[in-house]
């Protein structure tokens, strides 16, 4: 009698082989990135080059981008968003046309998609899996964007969410810090453990 789990084990072995191949490819890409990064560092800094040059595909954290770099980077990003919105025929239900840049979660999601796109499509060493995986991330990201701003701006006008802004009240932060982590008592000492 054939083993009923045989096909499952064969499939798992195949998946394991693919994962091993991806891990090896990732290691090669990381090694290549380190070599390119070292080469880039050798041409910057001491010899007067720009030591803050961003590697394409590197993560972007907008509040950490230097002021002198922000305008150019924002222009590149904006052009990419507009191009992608047209290429993928996004609707206002998917991306708020009139105000997407005013929604922090939307900008964060699009920024991640942008840097992922740069990495997937700007890497000559990629064996074509990057673009496919990026498209999968794009589909999931656009779906999350639609949920993150809850369609409040589908009418073409920005509508501020009715919400409490968490980061503007220092007393709120102090209250949470003073309360301590779960399991801590109000005296500031950790709750005793049961024997």
């Amino acid at each position: 009698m054939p083993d009923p789990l045989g096909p499952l084990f064969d499939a798992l072995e195949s998946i394991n082989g693919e994962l091993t191949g991806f891990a090896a490819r990732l290691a090669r890409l990381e090694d290549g990135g380190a070599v390119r990064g070292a080469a880039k560092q050798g041409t910057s800094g001491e010899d007067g080059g720009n030591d803050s040059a961003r590697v394409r595909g590197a993560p972007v954290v907008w509040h950490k981008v230097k002021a002198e770099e922000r305008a150019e980077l924002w222009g590149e990003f904006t052009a990419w968003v507009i191009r992608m919105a047209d290429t993928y025929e996004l609707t206002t239900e998917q991306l708020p046309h009139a105000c997407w840049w005013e929604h922090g979660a939307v900008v964060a999601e699009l920024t991640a998609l942008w840097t992922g796109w740069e990495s997937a499509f700007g890497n000559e060493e990629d064996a074509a899996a990057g673009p496919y995986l990026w498209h999968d991330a794009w589909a999931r990201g656009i779906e999350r964007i639609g949920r993150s701003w809850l369609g409040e701006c589908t009418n073409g006008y920005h509508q501020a969410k009715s919400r409490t802004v968490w980061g503007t009240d220092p007393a709120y932060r102090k209250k949470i810090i003073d309360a301590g982590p779960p399991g801590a008592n109000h005296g500031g000492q950790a709750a005793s453990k049961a024997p």
Side-chain angles (χ1 to χ4, degrees), residues 49-73:
N50 183 1
D51 61 357
S52 62
R54 178 179 163 269
V55 175
R56 295 193 75 68
V60 173
V61 181
W62 288 108
H63 70 274
K64 292 183 178 181
V65 174
K66 294 178 181 174
E68 59 272 11
E69 298 170 358
R70 190 172 295 124
E72 182 178 347
L73 196 58

Side-chain angles (χ1 to χ4, degrees), residues 34-188:
V35 169
R36 282 190 303 278
K40 207 169 209 172
Q41 286 177 354
T43 61
S44 63
E46 300 83 35
D47 63 357
N50 183 1
D51 61 357
S52 62
R54 178 179 163 269
V55 175
R56 295 193 75 68
V60 173
V61 181
W62 288 108
H63 70 274
K64 292 183 178 181
V65 174
K66 294 178 181 174
E68 59 272 11
E69 298 170 358
R70 190 172 295 124
E72 182 178 347
L73 196 58
W74 184 255
E76 288 177 34
F77 170 65
T78 300
W80 179 85
V81 170
I82 292 168
R83 187 172 64 249
M84 293 297 108
D86 287 343
T87 299
Y88 293 93
E89 301 175 358
L90 298 183
T91 66
T92 56
E93 287 79 21
Q94 294 170 302
L95 184 68
H97 178 268
C99 58
W100 62 266
W101 60 93
E102 295 185 55
H103 298 274
V106 173
V107 170
E109 187 79 50
L110 289 170
T111 301
L113 289 167
W114 174 49
T115 58
W117 183 87
E118 286 183 322
S119 179
F121 290 92
N123 183 356
E124 298 83 23
E125 297 171 8
D126 195 338
Y132 174 80
L133 294 172
W134 180 84
H135 278 92
D136 185 54
W138 171 261
R140 288 181 283 123
I142 292 300
E143 183 180 327
R144 276 193 302 270
I145 287 171
R147 287 193 316 261
S148 72
W149 58 278
L150 303 176
E152 294 176 356
C153 302
T154 59
N155 61 5
Y157 301 98
H158 178 64
Q159 307 235 345
K161 286 184 177 183
S162 175
R163 63 179 289 270
T164 301
V165 179
W166 293 36
T168 58
D169 184 0
Y172 174 72
R173 181 187 309 244
K174 182 177 179 346
K175 176 181 174 181
I176 296 169
I177 291 171
D178 289 348
N185 65 21
H186 292 289

